[in-house]
Amino acid sequence: MESTVYLNGSLVPLSQARISPMDYGFLYGYGVYETMRAYGGRVFRLDRHLARMEHSAGALGIDLEDRPRMEKAVYDTIKANRLTEARVRVSVSGGEEKLVPGVAPAGDPTVFITAIEYRPPSDEVYRRGFSAVVSTVHSSPQCHSSRMKSLSTLDLLLARQEAACFNVDHAILLNDDDLVAEGSSTNIFYARDGRLFTPAEHCGILPGVTRAVVLKELAPSLGVVTQELDVALADLLEADEAF
């Protein structure tokens, strides 16, 4: 069955979705996105994802639809695809460019939402663990876009290409100081001597929604001490475990 997507206020079959070739997202990667997980038809921390998107879009001068309308659009897309376990992506670009390019788009933004079935890795995969390579692509703490989920993800895609070339699962990015920053699609944690560590935000990471849940809710509820700090690659390699 063909999937249904949300585009600028309407639910349409994917094959009928049309975005202008003059869209700022297509031309310049000018926009932001969020990827989310739905469990039993409910999106995990949807409010936090949308709050982060609103903040990032505001930094680009993009005005989003009001929160309730965006939430409804997300759930309408999930229901239209008859899903309960889903991977949801909300993409917002600056919209269509006029005849003369400006610093930022002046028109209405393009809002595009997809929902596809999500099947988590098997228990066997988790028992075996995941492999990774240290990417030659670096994350720069001085880059503003490192703190937002920008549509322009070229560096992350290049890192994933490296992982594929080495036939491993993930790529790990260091920052300009050769400190561990993040994965090509993840934040990174490691455990040692019963404590939990993760790179600090000033290391050039995207402050993930799930990362915050681990640090502020899950770990404290289990009595696990956490620390955000500068992480050398040796620290990660000497860890008891990492995820």
Side-chain angles (χ1 to χ4, degrees), residues 2 33 35 44 49 54 97 111 123 135 150 152 180 210 218:
E2 183 178 9
Y33 74 100
T35 52
F44 180 71
H49 279 287
E54 289 168 359
E97 180 184 51
V111 179
D123 291 344
S135 176
S150 163
S152 180
V180 176
T210 303
L218 296 181

Side-chain angles (χ1 to χ4, degrees), residues 71-91:
E71 290 178 354
K72 183 177 184 301
V74 168
Y75 281 112
D76 285 349
T77 307
I78 294 172
K79 291 176 182 177
N81 289 283
R82 301 177 183 176
L83 297 173
T84 55
E85 308 301 311
R87 179 182 185 272
V88 182
R89 173 169 167 143
V90 180
S91 304

Side-chain angles (χ1 to χ4, degrees), residues 22 76 91-92 94 115 139 157 167 195 210 215 225 232:
M22 300 302 289
D76 285 349
S91 304
V92 178
S139 174
L157 290 173
N167 196 30
R195 302 176 68 188
T210 303
L215 287 174
V225 176

Side-chain angles (χ1 to χ4, degrees), residues 12-72:
V12 297
L14 178 59
S15 62
Q16 296 179 23
R18 297 290 183 269
I19 296 175
S20 170
M22 300 302 289
D23 189 275
Y24 260 64
F26 173 72
L27 292 175
Y28 311 115
Y30 196 95
V32 293
Y33 74 100
E34 290 286 329
T35 52
M36 298 163 276
R37 170 75 192 276
Y39 298 84
R42 302 301 299 176
V43 177
F44 180 71
R45 303 301 164 94
L46 176 58
D47 56 338
R48 296 191 188 182
H49 279 287
L50 294 182
R52 182 171 65 179
M53 171 171 271
E54 289 168 359
H55 181 267
S56 298
L60 297 178
I62 299 174
D63 293 326
L64 291 183
E65 299 176 356
D66 63 87
R67 182 82 63 85
R69 186 175 179 184
M70 189 70 81
E71 290 178 354
K72 183 177 184 301

Side-chain angles (χ1 to χ4, degrees), residues 141-193:
Q142 284 74 42
C143 181
H144 292 299
S145 62
S146 68
R147 296 174 180 84
M148 64 176 71
K149 291 183 78 73
S150 163
L151 290 180
S152 180
T153 60
L154 181 59
D155 284 347
L156 299 180
L157 290 173
L158 291 173
R160 291 178 202 173
Q161 283 183 358
E162 286 185 327
C165 287
F166 283 95
N167 196 30
V168 297
D169 300 304
H170 295 287
I172 295 172
L173 279 70
L174 307 181
N175 65 18
D176 295 336
D177 296 318
D178 284 334
L179 296 170
V180 176
E182 57 191 354
S184 56
S185 61
T186 62
N187 289 122
I188 294 176
F189 288 84
Y190 72 92
R192 190 171 185 181
D193 299 328

Side-chain angles (χ1 to χ4, degrees), residues 126-146:
Y126 278 113
R127 283 193 296 268
R128 183 174 69 242
F130 297 85
S131 55
V133 64
V134 177
S135 176
T136 60
V137 177
H138 277 214
S139 174
S140 176
Q142 284 74 42
C143 181
H144 292 299
S145 62
S146 68

